[in-house]
Amino acid sequence: KQWYQRRVRGNRSPEVMITLYKTLIRPILEHCCLVWSPSATGEIQSIENVQHCFTRPVSGMSGADYWERLSRLKIMSLQRRRQRFAFIQFWKMYHHLVPDSTGLRPNFKSDGRLGVRLQNCPRFNYSVDRKRANQLFNSFGVRAYSLWNCLPTEVNTCTTLDSFKSSLGVFLDGFHDRPSVRSYSAISNDLSKVNRKV
């Protein structure tokens, strides 16, 4: 923090600050995030708070709340980016570009109306082992099931990675990106629960 403050003391323009952030900080926050992606609200807030604090001193952002800064700076919340990575990983698994990293053997089924859907989402017997069931329920593989099935046909049927990323970007832009941040009113940023922009 002290290093970047000395470097950008005379220039905190969005171009300089966001370039520094994307180059030096965000890669660390996202390294192997599909493995450790948090589900607890407090953990999500702690990670999101890094980007929240970094965008505050950017020139022109005075008085803007975090959600507004995301929109002005044209960046996604860290939570939304982790969701995007999950979509891309499952697309690669469906097209056999990467091995199944969930251990759940996802069953993809083509449907003429809904496109590519994931069938047979794992169910857990909470009465047997609640702690283990909660860990599995919050794992990448299980959460990605519900995420993938939110995708419309024009997105989940893309046949190339570039076209999928492009269509996915348009789809995600249709949702408000308002992650849970400390001191902000609690709000769900789960794509399976939030409403699209009007």
Side-chain angles (χ1 to χ4, degrees):
K1 182 177 179 181
Q2 292 177 347
W3 178 87
Y4 95 78
Q5 286 179 338
R6 290 197 301 268
R7 291 287 182 177
V8 302
R9 184 171 296 173
N11 186 351
R12 293 191 175 181
S13 67
E15 293 78 12
V16 171
M17 293 290 283
I18 296 304
T19 298
L20 280 173
Y21 174 70
K22 289 181 177 180
T23 305
L24 301 176
I25 298 176
R26 195 169 68 181
I28 298 174
L29 298 173
E30 294 180 337
H31 182 65
C32 294
C33 64
L34 292 179
V35 176
W36 55 260
S37 184
S39 58
T41 300
E43 295 172 348
I44 293 173
Q45 289 178 340
S46 294
I47 297 171
E48 202 70 46
N49 195 52
V50 177
Q51 184 165 277
H52 176 210
C53 292
F54 193 95
T55 56
R56 188 181 296 157
V58 176
S59 297
M61 297 297 116
S62 178
D65 63 33
Y66 179 49
W67 300 335
E68 187 176 353
R69 294 199 297 272
L70 291 177
S71 178
R72 288 190 193 178
L73 296 171
K74 298 180 179 179
I75 57 176
M76 293 181 182
S77 67
L78 295 171
Q79 183 184 14
R80 181 56 48 82
R81 283 179 59 83
R82 290 193 297 273
Q83 292 168 345
R84 177 178 177 272
F85 293 148
F87 282 125
I88 293 172
Q89 182 71 2
F90 257 69
W91 184 92
K92 290 180 177 179
M93 287 165 56
Y94 171 64
H95 289 274
H96 307 291
L97 298 178
V98 296
D100 173 16
S101 55
T102 67
L104 300 173
R105 298 180 181 177
N107 179 23
F108 292 97
K109 182 178 179 180
S110 295
D111 181 283
R113 183 172 63 88
L114 300 175
V116 180
R117 311 294 286 176
L118 273 168
Q119 306 290 320
N120 304 325
C121 182
R123 299 179 182 275
F124 307 106
N125 186 349
Y126 286 91
S127 63
V128 175
D129 188 344
R130 179 173 293 273
K131 181 177 180 180
R132 183 170 180 270
N134 281 329
Q135 290 174 340
L136 288 171
F137 183 77
N138 290 318
S139 67
F140 156 68
V142 176
R143 284 187 291 161
Y145 264 83
S146 59
L147 278 176
W148 179 270
N149 287 336
C150 290
L151 293 177
T153 304
E154 61 270 20
V155 180
N156 64 36
T157 55
C158 289
T159 56
T160 67
L161 182 57
D162 286 341
S163 64
F164 176 74
K165 288 181 177 180
S166 177
S167 298
L168 178 62
V170 173
F171 171 72
L172 294 178
D173 284 342
F175 290 85
H176 292 291
D177 189 8
R178 296 174 177 174
S180 178
V181 186
R182 289 170 185 167
S183 77
Y184 285 60
S185 299
I187 187 169
S188 174
N189 208 34
D190 187 336
L191 291 173
S192 62
K193 300 176 182 178
V194 301
N195 295 322
R196 292 180 67 89
K197 294 178 182 176
V198 178

